[in-house]
Amino acid sequence: MTEKRRLAELPTHHVKPPKSSGMWMDVWRQIRRNRAAVAGIIILGILIFVAIAAPWLAPHDPYEMNLRDALKPPGTPGHILGTDELGRDTLSRLIYGSRISLTVGLIVVGIAGTIGVVLGAVSGYYGGVADFVIMRTVDLLLAFPFLVLAIAVVSVVGASLTNMMIVLGAVSWISYARLVRGLVLSLREEEFVVAARVVGVRDRQIILRHILPNTLGVVIVQATFGVAMAILAASALSFLGMGAQPPTAEWGAMLSTAKKNMRQHPMLAIAPGFAIMITVLAINFVGDALRDALDPRLRI
């Protein structure tokens, strides 16, 4: 009772532990020292600019067909990267494809992160039956390969870009849930959480205001890698015909249509393949730097 009374007498403004206002500045300074991360940020900046300015940057309509100009080689006047089997400009489709790939990555991570963070917080904070049900669901989903599970679900709900994003988000929340649960299990026993509980702060407020903000850094790192994985998974599904459907200008779908003429016109496959590779590589560079910068054991 003495300990409980002492905690109850704590002023409410001491409930939440103070954070260094310069933490994110320290993180940014450490990221700037990482040349690969800087290169990744520059590449991502260019990709975002290209995606936003696609209507002004694309030299042609990405969906305009002209069979007379079909399968033009790279360097053809008016078609820097050539054309596909329907006479559509490869560069224009590549530019518009950046819009779809980046959008897919962000939406999938938004869905997966929301589901995973909520379920992980509930599982870690309340424990008991909720923890058992959520974690056994996670174990069950982990028994299936991620891409195989996504293909199975998409084949049931129907192949489309929207369905693909929803399915990828719905099957990739597992890593967020496990990560957040582990953090919440340790944070819920910290003094500032115990003090908040003793003075009568509701569980919902404790989770939202005191626990989840302390998991933000780790979740951001996980989300960064999640965007890269979502882009790869979306491209794979579109390549297999389970994602974006023709004539959508999406990198994975472009690879799928290019396989018929890959030997005679390799640029049709090289261009979208390189775009996927450089995008995922840039995101991973940034994710690695964020992980190192947010790790207190590695922070300088």
Side-chain angles (χ1 to χ4, degrees):
M1 290 299 294
T2 302
E3 179 67 16
K4 185 175 181 180
R5 189 179 297 110
R6 183 181 67 82
L7 291 173
E9 292 174 354
L10 286 174
T12 55
H13 64 274
H14 284 160
V15 170
K16 191 175 180 180
K19 285 188 175 182
S20 171
S21 59
M23 185 191 75
W24 292 105
M25 289 301 299
D26 294 339
V27 170
W28 171 240
R29 280 193 292 269
Q30 185 151 337
I31 289 176
R32 286 190 304 177
R33 299 191 189 106
N34 190 321
R35 293 183 179 180
V38 172
I41 291 172
I42 293 173
I43 293 172
L44 286 179
I46 294 173
L47 286 171
I48 293 171
F49 171 76
V50 168
I52 294 174
W56 298 278
L57 294 177
H60 299 277
D61 184 339
Y63 302 108
E64 181 182 357
M65 296 183 292
N66 186 353
L67 295 180
R68 293 182 179 179
D69 291 333
L71 297 175
K72 292 291 184 180
T76 300
H79 302 285
I80 298 176
L81 296 180
T83 60
D84 64 8
E85 70 282 359
L86 296 177
R88 297 171 297 190
D89 184 62
T90 301
L91 177 60
S92 299
R93 291 180 62 78
L94 200 67
I95 290 173
Y96 272 85
S98 64
R99 275 186 160 187
I100 296 177
S101 292
L102 292 177
T103 300
V104 167
L106 293 175
I107 290 178
V108 169
V109 165
I111 296 173
T114 301
I115 297 173
V117 168
V118 170
L119 293 181
V122 170
S123 177
Y125 187 80
Y126 291 104
V129 176
D131 182 43
F132 178 82
V133 172
I134 293 172
M135 286 300 104
R136 297 298 74 77
T137 303
V138 168
D139 293 339
L140 178 63
L141 293 176
L142 285 174
F144 299 92
F146 168 75
L147 198 56
V148 173
L149 181 61
I151 292 173
V153 178
V154 170
S155 64
V156 172
V157 300
S160 71
L161 185 62
T162 301
N163 288 344
M164 179 187 68
M165 290 189 290
I166 295 173
V167 169
L168 286 177
V171 301
S172 59
W173 58 270
I174 304 171
S175 56
Y176 296 90
R178 296 182 70 187
L179 183 65
V180 172
R181 175 184 179 269
L183 293 171
V184 172
L185 282 174
S186 61
L187 287 171
R188 71 178 184 178
E189 304 301 331
E190 294 289 337
E191 291 184 1
F192 66 93
V193 175
V194 176
R197 194 181 298 121
V198 169
V199 299
V201 180
R202 295 181 180 180
D203 289 343
R204 181 179 177 182
Q205 292 179 328
I206 292 175
I207 294 173
L208 293 177
R209 297 180 58 185
H210 303 296
I211 293 181
L212 288 184
N214 287 282
T215 68
L216 183 61
V218 179
V219 171
I220 288 175
V221 173
Q222 180 64 32
T224 304
F225 290 115
V227 172
M229 292 300 298
I231 292 175
L232 278 177
S235 298
L237 288 176
S238 295
F239 179 80
L240 296 173
M242 307 295 290
Q245 300 298 303
T248 306
E250 196 272 341
W251 292 339
M254 290 174 66
L255 276 172
S256 181
T257 58
K259 61 186 178 184
K260 302 175 184 178
N261 304 289
M262 190 178 300
R263 292 186 178 181
Q264 295 80 11
H265 302 276
M267 183 55 68
L268 292 175
I270 292 174
F274 180 78
I276 295 170
M277 182 195 72
I278 198 68
T279 301
V280 172
L281 197 61
I283 294 172
N284 285 336
F285 282 159
V286 176
D288 286 336
L290 274 173
R291 180 187 57 197
D292 295 343
L294 289 170
D295 190 337
R297 294 170 299 179
L298 299 177
R299 196 177 303 156
I300 299 175

